[in-house]
Amino acid sequence: DFLTSILAFWPLGINLPGYRKFHFLHHLKVGTASDPELLHKNMKFPDYELPINRYKMALFFIKDLLCLSVYEVLILISFVVPKKKTDLILPNLFLGSIIGLLFFNDLTWVLILWFIANISSFWAFFRFRIYIEHIGSKGTHRIVSNPILSFIFFPYGADTHWEHHKWPTMLYYNRAKARDLISDVPLVSIKELFDSYEKESHTESSTKNLAIDFV
């Protein structure tokens, strides 16, 4: 937990206990009114409202790159704040130490660049992943991606999100191999998924034919 926190969560201003609670509840209540990820999306319509075309998606991507989605980032961070105040001590000490170290070594520009990246390019790429996971579904889209898209947008098996929900404890590098174990739920390309977003608002009946498994 400490290594995960110091290498992944604290640099983003997020604490592991808060995220763990958010993520476990998302798995338990995915697609329901109690799904915290769905609650977050519902606060930012029309960003995630269907139907939506590629033109609007591109505009949202550009908006993110221009740091115009700070409000949404702050909303998401508020969803992962733990109830125990003690869980905030170490993250704040870590960030404070890093800020002080950079400031006293005349590296303030590194700090500014890091936080700008978090609310611009990082969020833009993160939003793209949100679009291919659960939008318009009570379950999880089972997608297939080409190597270039996987390298840019879906590192560490992020394009096997369906498999992640199917086998939550499975290590990311085994999920692609595990795909062969499921044959009755077809894979859908990102192009096909985005084409469907332009045509209709998804319902349980329409998305189930689009390679959705309501797990």
Side-chain angles (χ1 to χ4, degrees):
D1 283 2
F2 178 75
L3 288 176
T4 301
S5 295
I6 201 169
L7 295 176
F9 284 91
W10 293 350
L12 296 175
I14 301 173
N15 67 90
L16 180 58
Y19 179 80
R20 178 173 283 149
K21 179 181 177 181
F22 173 92
H23 195 65
F24 281 10
L25 186 60
H26 165 61
H27 274 257
L28 184 65
K29 302 290 186 179
V30 63
T32 71
S34 300
D35 181 355
E37 188 173 299
L38 186 60
L39 293 174
H40 166 253
K41 294 189 184 93
N42 287 342
M43 296 180 71
K44 280 300 297 179
F45 283 167
D47 299 44
Y48 307 108
E49 190 175 32
L50 297 181
I52 185 171
N53 56 45
R54 288 172 173 79
Y55 175 72
K56 285 186 177 180
M57 288 185 184
L59 287 180
F60 288 136
F61 189 86
I62 294 172
K63 182 186 75 170
D64 295 339
L65 291 178
L66 295 175
C67 301
L68 299 178
S69 297
V70 177
Y71 176 66
E72 185 175 357
V73 177
L74 293 177
I75 289 176
L76 185 59
I77 292 176
S78 72
F79 273 65
V80 299
V81 173
K83 291 185 178 180
K84 293 173 57 178
K85 294 182 178 180
T86 52
D87 289 331
L88 296 175
I89 295 176
L90 286 178
N92 288 330
L93 284 176
F94 172 82
L95 285 176
S97 300
I98 295 298
I99 291 172
L101 183 66
L102 293 174
F103 180 79
F104 286 108
N105 285 278
D106 293 324
L107 293 172
T108 309
W109 66 270
V110 175
L111 183 67
I112 295 173
L113 181 63
W114 175 255
F115 280 106
I116 289 178
N118 283 338
I119 60 174
S120 58
S121 57
F122 175 83
W123 185 254
F125 280 62
F126 189 77
R127 183 196 294 277
F128 189 86
R129 299 219 316 254
I130 292 175
Y131 278 135
I132 61 96
E133 293 176 354
H134 304 285
I135 297 296
S137 168
K138 291 185 178 180
T140 308
H141 299 295
R142 194 180 191 213
I143 68 155
V144 59
S145 175
N146 64 54
I148 296 177
L149 280 180
S150 295
F151 177 78
I152 297 174
F153 290 101
F154 311 122
Y156 301 103
D159 54 345
T160 55
H161 198 70
W162 185 94
E163 286 76 13
H164 169 60
H165 275 264
K166 186 72 173 179
W167 300 290
T169 60
M170 182 179 290
L171 298 175
Y172 76 90
Y173 48 77
N174 287 327
R175 294 202 298 259
K177 304 174 187 177
R179 281 188 162 179
D180 295 335
L181 301 175
I182 302 294
S183 58
D184 58 337
V185 181
L187 293 163
V188 60
S189 71
I190 294 176
K191 179 182 182 304
E192 291 172 319
L193 183 63
F194 284 2
D195 284 344
S196 72
Y197 286 171
E198 295 185 13
K199 295 176 182 178
E200 59 184 338
S201 297
H202 285 188
T203 62
E204 180 171 336
S205 60
S206 64
T207 52
K208 194 168 185 180
N209 295 325
L210 192 66
I212 307 300
D213 186 22
F214 297 94
V215 293

